[in-house]
Amino acid sequence: MGNKIPAIITNVKIKPKIILTLGEITAQILLNNSTEISMLRGKIHFYVQDNLRIPLVTTYHPRYLLNNIQEKSKTWDDIRLAWRAFNRVHPEGNLIN
């Protein structure tokens, strides 16, 4: 997968208000780190490239949830966190306190 996701965001010139990643690999690529998903989820991070600063929330991949149904409530918490962050995003991409 390499750097394809950041290239898509820059080349297509999309500017999402928020990014919700499903799974560890995508989160690690966009955040440019190797932190495990269990440590990444439940927090608002920021995807930063050039002049972009987009709030990013990550949660478990759907396939993982099929085998670990007990984690479903954590995913729901992450989706609610993303929704709250989405509603607080200023047009320039910064969160409004």
Side-chain angles (χ1 to χ4, degrees):
M1 194 178 312
N3 260 348
K4 291 181 182 177
I5 293 171
I8 289 170
I9 290 174
T10 335
N11 293 337
V12 178
K13 306 291 184 211
I14 63 172
K15 192 170 181 186
K17 284 181 72 174
I18 192 164
I19 298 170
L20 175 66
T21 63
L22 304 177
E24 184 173 89
I25 295 170
T26 308
Q28 290 174 340
I29 290 170
L30 290 177
L31 295 173
N32 195 29
N33 69 40
S34 58
T35 306
E36 293 180 14
I37 188 133
S38 60
M39 301 300 292
L40 291 172
R41 58 153 303 279
K43 303 171 190 147
I44 299 172
H45 304 275
F46 289 90
Y47 167 74
V48 179
Q49 183 177 3
D50 301 326
N51 62 343
L52 293 176
R53 186 174 186 269
I54 303 169
L56 182 147
V57 175
T58 191
T59 195
Y60 296 112
H61 190 279
R63 179 168 285 161
Y64 174 81
L65 292 172
L66 288 173
N67 297 317
N68 299 279
I69 195 106
Q70 71 278 6
E71 302 292 0
K72 195 170 150 182
S73 64
K74 291 179 184 176
T75 298
W76 182 239
D77 291 341
D78 295 334
I79 291 170
R80 288 188 299 206
L81 174 64
W83 180 250
R84 287 192 307 272
F86 175 81
N87 286 313
R88 291 178 30 217
V89 174
H90 189 272
E92 282 85 38
N94 298 318
L95 289 178
I96 300 168
N97 292 329

